[in-house]
Amino acid sequence: MPAAASDHPDGTADAATSVTTDEPADFASLGLHPALLQALDDLGYEEPTPIQRRAIPPLLAGRDLLGQAATGTGKTAAFALPILQLLADRAEPDDRPAALVLVPTRELAMQVSQAVHRYGRRLEARVLPVYGGQPIRHQLRALARGVDVVVATPGRAVDHLARGTLDLEALGVVVLDEADEMLDMGFAEDLESILSQTPDTHQTMLFSATMPGRIAGMSKRHLDDPVRVTLGAAGAGEAGQPDIRQLAYVVTRATKPAALGRVLDVEAPEAAIVFCGTRTEVDDLTDTMNGRGYRAEALHGGMDQEQRDRVMERLRNQTADLLVATDVAARGLDIDHLTHVINYDVPSAPESYVHRIGRVGRAGREGVAITLVEPRQHRLVKAIERHTRRKMDIDRIPTVADLHARRMELTRANLREALLDEQSTDRFRAVVESLSDEFDLVDIALAAVRVAHESLAGEDDAQELPEVSLRNEGGGGGKPPRGGSGKPSKGGRPSSSERGGDMARLFVSAGRQAGIRPADLVGAIAGESSVSGREIGAIEITRNFSLVEVPVAKADEIITALKHSTIKGRKVKVRHDQKR
Ligand code: AMP
């Protein structure tokens, strides 16, 4: 039996083993370098995802790995952290790449290299994305200066190998990410050619969402006694699931805050918990939702007991409508009037989904679980469906008409309640009687309903949200023809147009260091322009700047308006974001 398998019984399991997300495990116990632990803490990650928990220890021990995991499971960190650890442990500085990550598309090359860069920030890791469609000169210069991790599409990697500009001699790790996609896109030959030029001593990690025969063949040829990590395996279905209505909405990242608002408006939950992946996301979403007029409270692992108690108290006495929490913080939480669980992100493992939604539908009460799914996350949804043995209802996001209908329904329900309770309306009789001299009774009733409705429903500025669907749904979709080295690929990854067709991203020259919070940006934009808070999409705040998604049609107006105003007492520069 391989040593790592007995050392890490949960980390080296095969498809038959399921993961328990309640296992106490933190990043430090995985054996990671302090600089990496610090970077993860900076990002607000509270605990490793199942794939990270299971893959990182054997990878740090130098094993090869065959991982079956989809996007959204945290697999990028699962391979990036061991790579970065290798860099930290390098005896001497070396300008030749220590790791080569092969990915199917240009978008993924950019995403993965950004992720590796983020995790390796404190080690000053030099990461270079290498893909077709970008002038090769730029890549040549960067490679010549020295690079630690190259993230490349296979075609472009082959080009560089042919030119002699990619030196694989010092390579410690090769990662094949989304191997099935790479094969589907016709990169098999390129992959074989690249792998044949790597030194024998390197460690190989192969990740694939599916495991067709060709992947098995590839792993036989290129992996040496690999650890197998399989996520989302079937067989752990929950037989006695409580009565929970489970639905999912497909939304782009940019429209998520607006979509969450719409869901809350339509569902009108008595009390809801919204789950996010990281502490930072919890804080930002709480700010955003408060900026949009909801009473949200944050709960995460960075808070002490006293703060947690205060939050729970506000939820119990209903001064807060909404709890925004990480999985860790919500563990053991028991809120008896909770009616809705909302997954702001699809959880990284089906088991966490079951844990999350298990917080509603208790004691025979009906519960609702709503999941916001991004178009590329169809595999995570499938894994959850397999695990729970239940299909998720994938619904269109409620429209403005749905919202209006729902508000009208609430008004009707309120009036009906008041009509059944004779006592409470009696003191208004004089008002009706005095008006009835002048007006028809039906007209008086209509006016009363209108006043009641308007005071209940609030301002009516709802905007239609774009309708999007899951990628590869129903097996259709069609793979793009082989991307080759020179053409940017259109397949498999989200593009900027997918982030919400009619949204633009603005760069604002002030960030966390200037004390900027999402509510400040929403406030400034809504206060200075004709844009309402609800039209503002995703907000990302970094240390030195912020990015805000706004309707394309109003972007210029906002830029002009903010030129003449201040945010948090300071002048800021606002322009269209060029970077992505
Ligand atoms: P991936 O499956 O690698 O595409 O990752 C999906 C998302 O999960 C990314 O946005 C990561 O930043 C995030 N993520 C990865 N690991 C963790 C973690 N341990 N805690 C919270 N978020 C994570």
PDB file of all heavy atoms in Angstrom, residues 27 44-49 52 70-77 111 118-119 253 277-278 281 376, ligand 1:
ATOM      1  N   PHE A  27      -6.198  24.817   6.933  1.00  0.00           N
ATOM      2  CA  PHE A  27      -5.100  24.864   5.977  1.00  0.00           C
ATOM      3  C   PHE A  27      -3.774  24.530   6.660  1.00  0.00           C
ATOM      4  O   PHE A  27      -2.931  23.853   6.093  1.00  0.00           O
ATOM      5  CB  PHE A  27      -5.036  26.235   5.312  1.00  0.00           C
ATOM      6  CG  PHE A  27      -6.050  26.407   4.228  1.00  0.00           C
ATOM      7  CD1 PHE A  27      -7.132  27.261   4.389  1.00  0.00           C
ATOM      8  CD2 PHE A  27      -5.940  25.718   3.039  1.00  0.00           C
ATOM      9  CE1 PHE A  27      -8.066  27.422   3.376  1.00  0.00           C
ATOM     10  CE2 PHE A  27      -6.859  25.857   2.011  1.00  0.00           C
ATOM     11  CZ  PHE A  27      -7.935  26.719   2.185  1.00  0.00           C
ATOM     12  N   GLY A  44      -9.447  35.559   2.766  1.00  0.00           N
ATOM     13  CA  GLY A  44     -10.673  35.273   3.519  1.00  0.00           C
ATOM     14  C   GLY A  44     -11.130  33.826   3.403  1.00  0.00           C
ATOM     15  O   GLY A  44     -12.271  33.508   3.727  1.00  0.00           O
ATOM     16  N   TYR A  45     -10.256  32.931   2.937  1.00  0.00           N
ATOM     17  CA  TYR A  45     -10.635  31.513   2.893  1.00  0.00           C
ATOM     18  C   TYR A  45     -10.626  30.990   4.324  1.00  0.00           C
ATOM     19  O   TYR A  45      -9.649  31.128   5.031  1.00  0.00           O
ATOM     20  CB  TYR A  45      -9.622  30.699   2.085  1.00  0.00           C
ATOM     21  CG  TYR A  45      -9.641  30.934   0.602  1.00  0.00           C
ATOM     22  CD1 TYR A  45     -10.357  31.988   0.044  1.00  0.00           C
ATOM     23  CD2 TYR A  45      -8.935  30.105  -0.247  1.00  0.00           C
ATOM     24  CE1 TYR A  45     -10.363  32.186  -1.318  1.00  0.00           C
ATOM     25  CE2 TYR A  45      -8.935  30.305  -1.613  1.00  0.00           C
ATOM     26  CZ  TYR A  45      -9.642  31.343  -2.146  1.00  0.00           C
ATOM     27  OH  TYR A  45      -9.632  31.543  -3.499  1.00  0.00           O
ATOM     28  N   GLU A  46     -11.690  30.370   4.740  1.00  0.00           N
ATOM     29  CA  GLU A  46     -11.754  29.928   6.124  1.00  0.00           C
ATOM     30  C   GLU A  46     -11.306  28.491   6.320  1.00  0.00           C
ATOM     31  O   GLU A  46     -10.800  28.130   7.359  1.00  0.00           O
ATOM     32  CB  GLU A  46     -13.172  30.116   6.663  1.00  0.00           C
ATOM     33  CG  GLU A  46     -13.538  31.596   6.688  1.00  0.00           C
ATOM     34  CD  GLU A  46     -14.591  31.917   7.728  1.00  0.00           C
ATOM     35  OE1 GLU A  46     -15.541  31.146   7.841  1.00  0.00           O
ATOM     36  OE2 GLU A  46     -14.429  32.941   8.405  1.00  0.00           O
ATOM     37  N   GLU A  47     -11.532  27.649   5.334  1.00  0.00           N
ATOM     38  CA  GLU A  47     -11.106  26.251   5.467  1.00  0.00           C
ATOM     39  C   GLU A  47     -10.927  25.668   4.085  1.00  0.00           C
ATOM     40  O   GLU A  47     -11.484  26.170   3.108  1.00  0.00           O
ATOM     41  CB  GLU A  47     -12.152  25.454   6.246  1.00  0.00           C
ATOM     42  CG  GLU A  47     -13.503  25.491   5.558  1.00  0.00           C
ATOM     43  CD  GLU A  47     -14.532  24.568   6.182  1.00  0.00           C
ATOM     44  OE1 GLU A  47     -14.215  23.909   7.180  1.00  0.00           O
ATOM     45  OE2 GLU A  47     -15.649  24.512   5.638  1.00  0.00           O
ATOM     46  N   PRO A  48     -10.141  24.597   3.995  1.00  0.00           N
ATOM     47  CA  PRO A  48      -9.952  23.987   2.672  1.00  0.00           C
ATOM     48  C   PRO A  48     -11.227  23.323   2.180  1.00  0.00           C
ATOM     49  O   PRO A  48     -12.036  22.854   2.984  1.00  0.00           O
ATOM     50  CB  PRO A  48      -8.857  22.938   2.915  1.00  0.00           C
ATOM     51  CG  PRO A  48      -8.703  22.791   4.370  1.00  0.00           C
ATOM     52  CD  PRO A  48      -9.350  23.947   5.044  1.00  0.00           C
ATOM     53  N   THR A  49     -11.414  23.299   0.880  1.00  0.00           N
ATOM     54  CA  THR A  49     -12.546  22.565   0.308  1.00  0.00           C
ATOM     55  C   THR A  49     -12.147  21.078   0.291  1.00  0.00           C
ATOM     56  O   THR A  49     -10.967  20.750   0.438  1.00  0.00           O
ATOM     57  CB  THR A  49     -12.842  23.042  -1.124  1.00  0.00           C
ATOM     58  OG1 THR A  49     -11.737  22.681  -1.952  1.00  0.00           O
ATOM     59  CG2 THR A  49     -13.065  24.540  -1.192  1.00  0.00           C
ATOM     60  N   GLN A  52      -9.196  20.166  -1.810  1.00  0.00           N
ATOM     61  CA  GLN A  52      -7.943  20.683  -1.255  1.00  0.00           C
ATOM     62  C   GLN A  52      -7.484  19.819  -0.083  1.00  0.00           C
ATOM     63  O   GLN A  52      -6.308  19.483   0.045  1.00  0.00           O
ATOM     64  CB  GLN A  52      -8.132  22.141  -0.819  1.00  0.00           C
ATOM     65  CG  GLN A  52      -8.339  23.065  -2.012  1.00  0.00           C
ATOM     66  CD  GLN A  52      -8.975  24.388  -1.668  1.00  0.00           C
ATOM     67  OE1 GLN A  52      -9.193  24.697  -0.492  1.00  0.00           O
ATOM     68  NE2 GLN A  52      -9.301  25.177  -2.676  1.00  0.00           N
ATOM     69  N   ALA A  70     -14.669  19.213 -10.848  1.00  0.00           N
ATOM     70  CA  ALA A  70     -15.135  20.231 -11.782  1.00  0.00           C
ATOM     71  C   ALA A  70     -14.730  21.617 -11.302  1.00  0.00           C
ATOM     72  O   ALA A  70     -14.256  21.787 -10.184  1.00  0.00           O
ATOM     73  CB  ALA A  70     -16.648  20.141 -11.908  1.00  0.00           C
ATOM     74  N   THR A  71     -14.965  22.589 -12.163  1.00  0.00           N
ATOM     75  CA  THR A  71     -14.756  23.982 -11.794  1.00  0.00           C
ATOM     76  C   THR A  71     -15.668  24.349 -10.636  1.00  0.00           C
ATOM     77  O   THR A  71     -16.828  23.946 -10.622  1.00  0.00           O
ATOM     78  CB  THR A  71     -15.101  24.856 -13.007  1.00  0.00           C
ATOM     79  OG1 THR A  71     -14.132  24.577 -13.999  1.00  0.00           O
ATOM     80  CG2 THR A  71     -15.067  26.322 -12.676  1.00  0.00           C
ATOM     81  N   GLY A  72     -15.120  25.081  -9.681  1.00  0.00           N
ATOM     82  CA  GLY A  72     -15.955  25.487  -8.559  1.00  0.00           C
ATOM     83  C   GLY A  72     -15.694  24.660  -7.305  1.00  0.00           C
ATOM     84  O   GLY A  72     -16.206  24.966  -6.241  1.00  0.00           O
ATOM     85  N   THR A  73     -14.879  23.620  -7.448  1.00  0.00           N
ATOM     86  CA  THR A  73     -14.583  22.779  -6.292  1.00  0.00           C
ATOM     87  C   THR A  73     -13.357  23.277  -5.532  1.00  0.00           C
ATOM     88  O   THR A  73     -13.024  22.757  -4.476  1.00  0.00           O
ATOM     89  CB  THR A  73     -14.290  21.330  -6.743  1.00  0.00           C
ATOM     90  OG1 THR A  73     -13.280  21.386  -7.753  1.00  0.00           O
ATOM     91  CG2 THR A  73     -15.522  20.668  -7.310  1.00  0.00           C
ATOM     92  N   GLY A  74     -12.677  24.257  -6.101  1.00  0.00           N
ATOM     93  CA  GLY A  74     -11.451  24.759  -5.482  1.00  0.00           C
ATOM     94  C   GLY A  74     -10.221  24.010  -5.959  1.00  0.00           C
ATOM     95  O   GLY A  74      -9.188  23.989  -5.316  1.00  0.00           O
ATOM     96  N   LYS A  75     -10.321  23.405  -7.159  1.00  0.00           N
ATOM     97  CA  LYS A  75      -9.199  22.588  -7.624  1.00  0.00           C
ATOM     98  C   LYS A  75      -7.987  23.425  -7.999  1.00  0.00           C
ATOM     99  O   LYS A  75      -6.864  22.952  -7.917  1.00  0.00           O
ATOM    100  CB  LYS A  75      -9.629  21.695  -8.783  1.00  0.00           C
ATOM    101  CG  LYS A  75      -9.871  22.445 -10.073  1.00  0.00           C
ATOM    102  CD  LYS A  75     -10.246  21.477 -11.174  1.00  0.00           C
ATOM    103  CE  LYS A  75     -11.051  22.147 -12.256  1.00  0.00           C
ATOM    104  NZ  LYS A  75     -10.300  23.039 -13.117  1.00  0.00           N
ATOM    105  N   THR A  76      -8.198  24.674  -8.387  1.00  0.00           N
ATOM    106  CA  THR A  76      -7.047  25.488  -8.768  1.00  0.00           C
ATOM    107  C   THR A  76      -6.092  25.653  -7.594  1.00  0.00           C
ATOM    108  O   THR A  76      -4.884  25.457  -7.717  1.00  0.00           O
ATOM    109  CB  THR A  76      -7.505  26.865  -9.281  1.00  0.00           C
ATOM    110  OG1 THR A  76      -8.570  26.667 -10.202  1.00  0.00           O
ATOM    111  CG2 THR A  76      -6.376  27.606  -9.958  1.00  0.00           C
ATOM    112  N   ALA A  77      -6.640  25.976  -6.428  1.00  0.00           N
ATOM    113  CA  ALA A  77      -5.786  26.101  -5.241  1.00  0.00           C
ATOM    114  C   ALA A  77      -5.200  24.749  -4.872  1.00  0.00           C
ATOM    115  O   ALA A  77      -4.073  24.670  -4.376  1.00  0.00           O
ATOM    116  CB  ALA A  77      -6.588  26.670  -4.075  1.00  0.00           C
ATOM    117  N   GLN A 111      -7.350  33.097 -15.980  1.00  0.00           N
ATOM    118  CA  GLN A 111      -7.926  32.878 -14.643  1.00  0.00           C
ATOM    119  C   GLN A 111      -6.981  32.127 -13.726  1.00  0.00           C
ATOM    120  O   GLN A 111      -6.776  32.507 -12.581  1.00  0.00           O
ATOM    121  CB  GLN A 111      -9.183  32.023 -14.767  1.00  0.00           C
ATOM    122  CG  GLN A 111     -10.450  32.802 -14.956  1.00  0.00           C
ATOM    123  CD  GLN A 111     -11.619  31.829 -15.152  1.00  0.00           C
ATOM    124  OE1 GLN A 111     -11.689  30.776 -14.540  1.00  0.00           O
ATOM    125  NE2 GLN A 111     -12.517  32.182 -16.031  1.00  0.00           N
ATOM    126  N   ARG A 118      -2.311  35.251  -7.039  1.00  0.00           N
ATOM    127  CA  ARG A 118      -2.908  35.659  -5.759  1.00  0.00           C
ATOM    128  C   ARG A 118      -2.396  34.805  -4.604  1.00  0.00           C
ATOM    129  O   ARG A 118      -2.016  35.323  -3.566  1.00  0.00           O
ATOM    130  CB  ARG A 118      -4.434  35.494  -5.805  1.00  0.00           C
ATOM    131  CG  ARG A 118      -5.185  36.679  -6.339  1.00  0.00           C
ATOM    132  CD  ARG A 118      -6.632  36.676  -5.867  1.00  0.00           C
ATOM    133  NE  ARG A 118      -7.332  35.426  -6.120  1.00  0.00           N
ATOM    134  CZ  ARG A 118      -7.990  35.151  -7.246  1.00  0.00           C
ATOM    135  NH1 ARG A 118      -8.043  36.046  -8.208  1.00  0.00           N
ATOM    136  NH2 ARG A 118      -8.598  34.013  -7.409  1.00  0.00           N
ATOM    137  N   TYR A 119      -2.410  33.467  -4.813  1.00  0.00           N
ATOM    138  CA  TYR A 119      -1.962  32.595  -3.727  1.00  0.00           C
ATOM    139  C   TYR A 119      -0.462  32.781  -3.459  1.00  0.00           C
ATOM    140  O   TYR A 119      -0.001  32.599  -2.340  1.00  0.00           O
ATOM    141  CB  TYR A 119      -2.235  31.126  -4.061  1.00  0.00           C
ATOM    142  CG  TYR A 119      -3.692  30.812  -4.333  1.00  0.00           C
ATOM    143  CD1 TYR A 119      -4.070  30.026  -5.413  1.00  0.00           C
ATOM    144  CD2 TYR A 119      -4.689  31.305  -3.498  1.00  0.00           C
ATOM    145  CE1 TYR A 119      -5.408  29.736  -5.665  1.00  0.00           C
ATOM    146  CE2 TYR A 119      -6.024  31.026  -3.744  1.00  0.00           C
ATOM    147  CZ  TYR A 119      -6.379  30.248  -4.834  1.00  0.00           C
ATOM    148  OH  TYR A 119      -7.695  29.969  -5.087  1.00  0.00           O
ATOM    149  N   ARG A 253     -22.159  36.427 -13.091  1.00  0.00           N
ATOM    150  CA  ARG A 253     -21.545  36.943 -11.874  1.00  0.00           C
ATOM    151  C   ARG A 253     -21.930  38.403 -11.643  1.00  0.00           C
ATOM    152  O   ARG A 253     -22.216  38.824 -10.539  1.00  0.00           O
ATOM    153  CB  ARG A 253     -20.027  36.823 -12.000  1.00  0.00           C
ATOM    154  CG  ARG A 253     -19.281  37.094 -10.739  1.00  0.00           C
ATOM    155  CD  ARG A 253     -17.792  36.976 -10.995  1.00  0.00           C
ATOM    156  NE  ARG A 253     -17.389  35.594 -11.167  1.00  0.00           N
ATOM    157  CZ  ARG A 253     -17.001  34.826 -10.154  1.00  0.00           C
ATOM    158  NH1 ARG A 253     -16.958  35.304  -8.947  1.00  0.00           N
ATOM    159  NH2 ARG A 253     -16.649  33.586 -10.350  1.00  0.00           N
ATOM    160  N   GLY A 277     -18.612  31.931  -0.072  1.00  0.00           N
ATOM    161  CA  GLY A 277     -17.429  31.090   0.063  1.00  0.00           C
ATOM    162  C   GLY A 277     -16.351  31.629   0.988  1.00  0.00           C
ATOM    163  O   GLY A 277     -15.642  30.857   1.615  1.00  0.00           O
ATOM    164  N   THR A 278     -16.203  32.942   1.049  1.00  0.00           N
ATOM    165  CA  THR A 278     -15.093  33.490   1.839  1.00  0.00           C
ATOM    166  C   THR A 278     -15.580  34.605   2.756  1.00  0.00           C
ATOM    167  O   THR A 278     -16.645  35.170   2.559  1.00  0.00           O
ATOM    168  CB  THR A 278     -13.991  34.100   0.945  1.00  0.00           C
ATOM    169  OG1 THR A 278     -14.524  35.265   0.304  1.00  0.00           O
ATOM    170  CG2 THR A 278     -13.506  33.124  -0.101  1.00  0.00           C
ATOM    171  N   GLU A 281     -16.037  37.808   0.885  1.00  0.00           N
ATOM    172  CA  GLU A 281     -17.309  37.844   0.154  1.00  0.00           C
ATOM    173  C   GLU A 281     -18.466  38.142   1.093  1.00  0.00           C
ATOM    174  O   GLU A 281     -19.391  38.873   0.745  1.00  0.00           O
ATOM    175  CB  GLU A 281     -17.572  36.498  -0.523  1.00  0.00           C
ATOM    176  CG  GLU A 281     -17.087  36.430  -1.945  1.00  0.00           C
ATOM    177  CD  GLU A 281     -17.036  34.998  -2.461  1.00  0.00           C
ATOM    178  OE1 GLU A 281     -17.754  34.130  -1.899  1.00  0.00           O
ATOM    179  OE2 GLU A 281     -16.272  34.760  -3.386  1.00  0.00           O
ATOM    180  N   ARG A 376     -21.203  28.457 -16.184  1.00  0.00           N
ATOM    181  CA  ARG A 376     -20.215  27.391 -16.390  1.00  0.00           C
ATOM    182  C   ARG A 376     -20.235  26.336 -15.282  1.00  0.00           C
ATOM    183  O   ARG A 376     -19.410  25.429 -15.263  1.00  0.00           O
ATOM    184  CB  ARG A 376     -18.821  27.997 -16.497  1.00  0.00           C
ATOM    185  CG  ARG A 376     -18.334  28.565 -15.194  1.00  0.00           C
ATOM    186  CD  ARG A 376     -17.079  29.390 -15.380  1.00  0.00           C
ATOM    187  NE  ARG A 376     -16.748  30.066 -14.152  1.00  0.00           N
ATOM    188  CZ  ARG A 376     -15.699  29.760 -13.420  1.00  0.00           C
ATOM    189  NH1 ARG A 376     -14.898  28.804 -13.770  1.00  0.00           N
ATOM    190  NH2 ARG A 376     -15.451  30.429 -12.312  1.00  0.00           N
TER     191      ARG A 376
HETATM  192  P1  AMP B   1     -11.979  26.620  -8.756  1.00  0.00           P
HETATM  193  O1  AMP B   1     -12.736  25.332  -8.587  1.00  0.00           O
HETATM  194  O2  AMP B   1     -10.524  26.420  -8.591  1.00  0.00           O
HETATM  195  O3  AMP B   1     -12.348  27.292 -10.044  1.00  0.00           O
HETATM  196  O4  AMP B   1     -12.410  27.598  -7.566  1.00  0.00           O
HETATM  197  C1  AMP B   1     -13.710  28.073  -7.434  1.00  0.00           C
HETATM  198  C2  AMP B   1     -13.798  29.295  -6.539  1.00  0.00           C
HETATM  199  O5  AMP B   1     -13.641  28.934  -5.173  1.00  0.00           O
HETATM  200  C3  AMP B   1     -12.763  30.360  -6.802  1.00  0.00           C
HETATM  201  O6  AMP B   1     -13.439  31.588  -6.832  1.00  0.00           O
HETATM  202  C4  AMP B   1     -11.830  30.311  -5.622  1.00  0.00           C
HETATM  203  O7  AMP B   1     -11.327  31.592  -5.323  1.00  0.00           O
HETATM  204  C5  AMP B   1     -12.733  29.812  -4.530  1.00  0.00           C
HETATM  205  N1  AMP B   1     -12.048  29.014  -3.495  1.00  0.00           N
HETATM  206  C6  AMP B   1     -11.096  28.075  -3.687  1.00  0.00           C
HETATM  207  N2  AMP B   1     -10.740  27.521  -2.507  1.00  0.00           N
HETATM  208  C7  AMP B   1     -11.487  28.102  -1.545  1.00  0.00           C
HETATM  209  C8  AMP B   1     -11.594  27.947  -0.120  1.00  0.00           C
HETATM  210  N3  AMP B   1     -10.855  27.062   0.543  1.00  0.00           N
HETATM  211  N4  AMP B   1     -12.476  28.734   0.537  1.00  0.00           N
HETATM  212  C9  AMP B   1     -13.231  29.618  -0.133  1.00  0.00           C
HETATM  213  N5  AMP B   1     -13.189  29.819  -1.462  1.00  0.00           N
HETATM  214  C10 AMP B   1     -12.336  29.066  -2.174  1.00  0.00           C
END
